[in-house]
Amino acid sequence: MAFHQTPFDHIGVWSPPMRFIPFLQGTCLVLIEASRFAASSLLIVLGLPLFAFLFLAGWDMGLLFAQLGNLADHYREADAIRRIAFSQDLQGAFIAAVLGVVLVRTPRFLKRLETALAPASPKETVNG
């Protein structure tokens, strides 16, 4: 009979509790899905103005870049107060667009998370 046991005596026997592993898997799934949701929402918001401007330009890239050059010339010639106001307007529009896209997409995202995190039900066997 051993009177002294070291922590190394139980290396092969110890395993983490089984309820910790599903929690860790669920947490990783939520983090991955949330980062995917955030990245795709930002890409949608950044792509919407490009789509709108291309649509207004009749899908002509030359006309689009001519209008962007015109906008850049006006921005460069404006005084500092108007530049700041324009920048703040763009930031406000971007934040409003992000919030709008997120609000529209959130119910579907939550439903997808709910189905992914639901405990697996045992499959019923059909006899004949």
Side-chain angles (χ1 to χ4, degrees), residues 75-99:
Y75 182 79
R76 198 175 322 124
E77 294 171 358
D79 57 344
I81 294 173
R82 289 188 181 186
R83 285 183 186 182
I84 291 172
F86 181 72
S87 296
Q88 289 176 348
D89 289 345
L90 278 180
Q91 290 171 0
F94 178 74
I95 290 171
V98 168
L99 288 176

Side-chain angles (χ1 to χ4, degrees), residues 23-55:
F23 173 75
L24 187 63
Q25 289 173 342
T27 303
C28 289
L29 175 73
V30 169
L31 289 175
I32 290 169
E33 289 293 325
S35 63
R36 183 176 150 222
F37 175 76
S40 63
S41 295
L42 283 175
L43 288 175
I44 288 170
V45 169
L46 291 173
L48 284 175
L50 178 63
F51 175 77
F53 293 141
L54 275 173
F55 181 74

Side-chain angles (χ1 to χ4, degrees), residues 7 14 21 27 29 42 45 53 67 70 78 96-97 101 108 116-117 125:
W14 184 84
I21 292 174
T27 303
L29 175 73
L42 283 175
V45 169
F53 293 141
Q67 290 297 331
N70 186 18
V101 167
R108 185 170 162 218
L117 292 174
T125 58

